[in-house]
Each structure stands twice: as structure tokens, then as C-alpha cells.
Amino acid sequence: DAKTTQPPSMDCAEGRAANLPCNHSTISGNEYVYWYRQIHSQGPQYIIHGLKNNETNEMASLIITEDRKSSTLILPHATLRDTAVYYCIVRDPNSGNTPLVFGKGTRLSVIA
Amino acid sequence: GAVVSQHPSRVICKSGTSVKIECRSLDFQATTMFWYRQFPKQSLMLMATSNEGSKATYEQGVEKDKFLINHASLTLSTLTVTSAHPEDSSFYICSARARTRGGNTEAFFGQGTRLTVV
């Protein structure tokens, strides 16, 4: 799986949009971009994934650059409950029943 | 989405004793489950891959005789930490892949087990 690079930490004011960047310059054509988050003392939670088009669901939006070398996860109206570590992972979904490999992620602190 | 249930959520045990952690897939069958360990302020590290009906596959540096994995059914994998020591204190998390309504296969995680060895 391709390696990703994320800032170690970010702060965001409550109610504002949180924009979390991820660099994945070595991503291959078959690899998707996945985002998970881990709230303190809980297991990781799936957020969203995409291949090349922008994606949106009830939790977040995912913006992928045209060259696919980077992406941004957007939480449109961050709340205190969004404080967590956010992991960006690139993976080929057809790579079989293989585990996710986690980097260090970005620790997002939402501040009242 | 699919549900992976882990039990117990917290356990405190004495040094030298063994602790069993259960991981269940509640609404799907999982031929493969994964066990991770996470130390404070660090990321999840894969320990082993649990395979139903066969031996688990351990990552380099993980002692298979210390961390016993049993995957006897399609919905249950157990991790037993044998002869626990304080350095085994950690957050243990299991994961399984399931097909979502959209047709994709995604990874789902248990709630984690906080093990403290005293």
C-alpha cells in the first residue's frame, strides 16, 4: 500500500469547517483513498473513501486532487465530538482480505 | 454498517495470569479477523491475522506462544495474553472486513479492550 503523509495535529474552532490534508504522491491507479478516525479509547471508525471523484456522505466530504497525489477530508461543521485522530489510508480494495495499515494520523482538536 | 463486538472493554489482571479477549462479528461471517495493539499516543500496530479453521499468522516480533489466537467459528476470534506482564498493558483492537450495502468491502473495528497488568 502507498505511504501517506499527514500533519501530526490540527486545531479547529467548533462550528467551523475542519480541513484535514493528506499527501499520497505514490498512489497507484488501483488504490483508493480511505479515511478513518479514532476517538479516544475507541476502535477506528470508517468515514469515507474515494478513487478520483469527490465524495460526500453524512459525515464528511472528500476532495481528491486531479493528479490523485493528495486529498482533503472536510468536516463541514466541526463539533467537540469530532475531536479524534484521523487516519488517511490508501489501499487497493481488490487486494484481498488484507489488514489496514495505519500511519500516525492527524490529531484534530475541536475547540469550543 | 457491519458490527464487530469486542469483550471485555476493560480488564485488569495480575502479573503472570492470562487474559482472554473475544471478538465477534455480529451480523456477518468473517473468515479472517485482525488483531492490533496500540500503546499510548501511538498508532495501531498489526499483531496477527486470525484465520478461521487454521493457524493465525503473526507479525514479526509478536510471540505466538504469548499471544494465543483461536478462530474456531466464522463469527468469533479470541486473543489470549498468556503470562501477562506490565509491559503487555495496552489497547487491543480487533477488525474484520465485511461487504457494505454499496457492494464495497470495508474494515470494521471492535470497541477495543484496555488491558492493564498490575
Side-chain angles (χ1 to χ4, degrees):
Chain A
D1 294 337
K3 181 179 171 60
T4 63
T5 304
Q6 298 176 252
S9 64
M10 292 182 65
D11 291 341
C12 177
E14 188 179 20
R16 304 297 293 268
N19 298 291
L20 293 93
C22 179
N23 287 323
H24 31 79
S25 58
T26 60
I27 191 170
S28 67
N30 297 327
E31 290 179 320
Y32 284 61
V33 180
Y34 290 80
W35 283 83
Y36 283 77
R37 74 178 182 185
Q38 185 181 23
I39 295 170
H40 182 64
S41 292
Q42 296 185 22
Q45 175 190 22
Y46 165 82
I47 301 173
I48 198 168
H49 75 282
L51 180 62
K52 54 183 179 181
N53 297 323
N54 298 337
E55 302 287 345
T56 296
N57 63 20
E58 63 278 5
M59 291 184 69
S61 294
L62 174 60
I63 308 298
I64 302 173
T65 58
E66 192 168 343
D67 63 7
R68 302 207 323 121
K69 292 185 177 182
S70 65
S71 60
T72 301
L73 179 75
I74 301 172
L75 308 179
H77 305 286
T79 69
L80 298 178
R81 287 177 294 181
D82 292 322
T83 292
V85 178
Y86 287 77
Y87 296 99
C88 169
I89 300 169
V90 292
R91 186 175 186 279
D92 180 352
N94 297 314
S95 61
N97 209 352
T98 54
L100 290 181
V101 177
F102 289 82
K104 296 183 178 179
T106 295
R107 184 173 298 276
L108 175 68
S109 299
V110 180
I111 303 167
Chain B
V3 178
V4 175
S5 177
Q6 204 172 324
H7 177 81
S9 58
R10 289 178 179 271
V11 59
I12 300 173
C13 71
K14 291 184 177 180
S15 187
T17 62
S18 296
V19 173
K20 180 185 286 188
I21 303 169
E22 293 186 348
C23 180
R24 294 181 185 273
S25 56
L26 295 188
D27 50 359
F28 66 100
Q29 295 181 329
T31 56
T32 303
M33 291 184 178
F34 306 101
W35 287 95
Y36 295 81
R37 179 169 54 182
Q38 185 176 35
F39 292 107
K41 298 194 181 301
Q42 294 186 23
S43 188
L44 287 79
M45 295 298 296
L46 181 68
M47 297 177 66
T49 300
S50 171
N51 303 298
E52 189 268 335
S54 64
K55 291 182 178 180
T57 305
Y58 291 82
E59 296 300 299
Q60 189 174 12
V62 179
E63 300 175 55
K64 61 181 172 65
D65 295 329
K66 181 170 182 61
F67 298 99
L68 300 180
I69 291 173
N70 184 282
H71 195 151
S73 80
L74 287 171
T75 58
L76 173 64
S77 174
T78 61
L79 169 68
T80 301
V81 183
T82 63
S83 186
H85 290 279
E87 55 265 31
D88 298 324
S89 298
S90 188
F91 192 55
Y92 292 86
I93 306 166
C94 69
S95 171
R97 306 191 75 85
R99 193 167 297 278
T100 65
R101 283 177 293 180
N104 300 308
T105 301
E106 307 299 348
F108 295 90
F109 292 83
Q111 311 93 311
T113 298
R114 175 80 56 195
L115 170 64
T116 303
V117 184
V118 298

